[in-house]
Amino acid sequence: MKMISPSNVAVDIGQTLKPHEYIGMVRREVLDAHLRDRASAAGATVINGLFTKMDKPLDKYAPYVIHYNEYDGRPGSSGKKVTMEVDAVIGADGANSRVAKSIDAGDYEYAIAFQERIKIPDDKMKYYENLAEMYVGDDVSPDFYGWVFPKCDHVAVGTGTVTHKPDIKKFQLATRLRARDKILGGKIIRVEAHPIPEHPRPRRLANRVALVGDAAGYVTKCSGEGIYFAAKSGRMCAEAIVEGSENGTRMVEEADLRKYLEKWDKTYWPTYKVLDILQKVFYRSNPAREAFVEMCADEYVQKMTFDSYLYKKVAPGNPLEDLKLAVNTIGSLVRANALRNEMAKI
Ligand SMILES: Cc1cc2nc3c(=O)[nH]c(=O)nc-3n(C[C@H](O)[C@H](O)[C@H](O)COP(=O)(O)OP(=O)(O)OC[C@H]3O[C@@H](n4cnc5c(N)ncnc54)[C@H](O)[C@@H]3O)c2cc1C
């Protein structure tokens, strides 16, 4: 992976990875289909449907009635209105979750992420075969980063912002410009834009309905990672239901589903907090971003970053190295601020 600073200083990170460690890149159109097929093979009934609303249970043990439009896959088909009775609902329906609305889960602040899938010439694709790029700078995003990620036979070029959403296309153009020489001759094959939650919703559980993934608001700051956390929260919530229902022999209650939330918050709260602080410190100005990229060259920073990223734990540090890191960080930030002051004078 390359981190590229506002002045285009590029730092290679990832040298501390062990042979079996890697940062996975996925194409959602492939991954999602794979997960659906796997669920089906494991016994789930997969329905192609659009959830529209649900009726709340009349008493503690009564079922929820969910309403949805069922599609048969034929193009242009408007779907058939269907209802189904269920014991519990896991809302995994993304940032614009209707399940969240139906339990008055409340809103969250969100970023807008924009991404273009670009088919680039084969010789250029060779460069990105095993490489992801992260660009930082006011030009590509005032509060996030721009990226070029490999997607097997093409690349995804994108960026995101919370604070300047109407300017997203301007930031996208700047990201493309920064990578210009490396994606020259590329053809845009798909454009994607979607909200990304900035923090969890005020309410993630009501009776026997729980939210997971983007519906709950589980994307990390700084890295914008949401796929792992969506999958993991879905699994944790399902495990809580299986356990609470004693493998389907007992009706679950809110307290059973709450165990998922408690476990989630206990496991991941430190990760979210640390990434929130990092974003606030390092994505706030170009000098701070230069300092961030400079710091990323440090082997200890890389090891800590990748250990935290791969194992989803705030990695316990080595006290002496932590002290050195603190001194280096302050040094980088002081240099960055000194640079900013000098720039202001000019
Ligand atoms: C441009 C962009 C780039 C990103 N890059 C990364 C990245 O590199 N790494 C990373 O980890 N994360 C990335 N993210 C974030 C990541 O995509 C999300 O955090 C993740 O997809 C959340 O998964 P989810 O299953 O909760 O929601 P989603 O992936 O949004 O899935 C929700 C599903 O529910 C379905 N649905 C919605 N409404 C209904 C309904 N009413 N009835 C039935 N089904 C419904 C949708 O069709 C969809 O299939 C990116 C996001 C964007 C927008």
Side-chain angles (χ1 to χ4, degrees), residues 99-134:
V99 176
K101 280 191 191 78
S102 52
I103 59 163
D104 294 323
D107 287 329
Y108 42 49
E109 176 59 286
Y110 66 95
I112 183 85
F114 192 96
Q115 171 170 280
E116 290 165 324
R117 306 284 201 94
I118 305 183
K119 179 91 184 133
I120 55 175
D122 289 350
D123 56 323
K124 299 228 175 321
M125 194 60 221
K126 227 50 253 102
Y127 173 78
Y128 285 114
E129 205 170 53
N130 275 314
L131 180 76
E133 288 182 331
M134 269 176 78

Side-chain angles (χ1 to χ4, degrees), residues 28 49-51 92-94 98 113-115 147 149 192 194 196 212-215 219 224-228 230:
R28 294 298 300 275
L50 179 75
F51 166 88
D93 50 342
R98 290 197 199 182
F114 192 96
Q115 171 170 280
W147 64 84
F149 288 167
E192 296 160 324
H194 207 63
I196 294 192
V212 300
D214 278 14
V219 178
E225 191 189 359
I227 300 170
Y228 173 87

Side-chain angles (χ1 to χ4, degrees), residues 188-217:
I188 298 173
I189 52 175
R190 187 189 291 199
V191 178
E192 296 160 324
H194 207 63
I196 294 192
E198 276 284 285
H199 55 80
R201 286 190 199 271
R203 191 174 189 201
R204 290 168 286 160
L205 173 66
N207 197 2
R208 282 173 273 136
V209 182
L211 303 176
V212 300
D214 278 14

Side-chain angles (χ1 to χ4, degrees), residues 176-190:
R176 243 193 280 140
L177 274 176
R178 287 260 223 124
R180 176 177 53 215
D181 297 342
K182 290 169 278 185
I183 58 170
L184 203 69
K187 250 180 69 186
I188 298 173
I189 52 175
R190 187 189 291 199

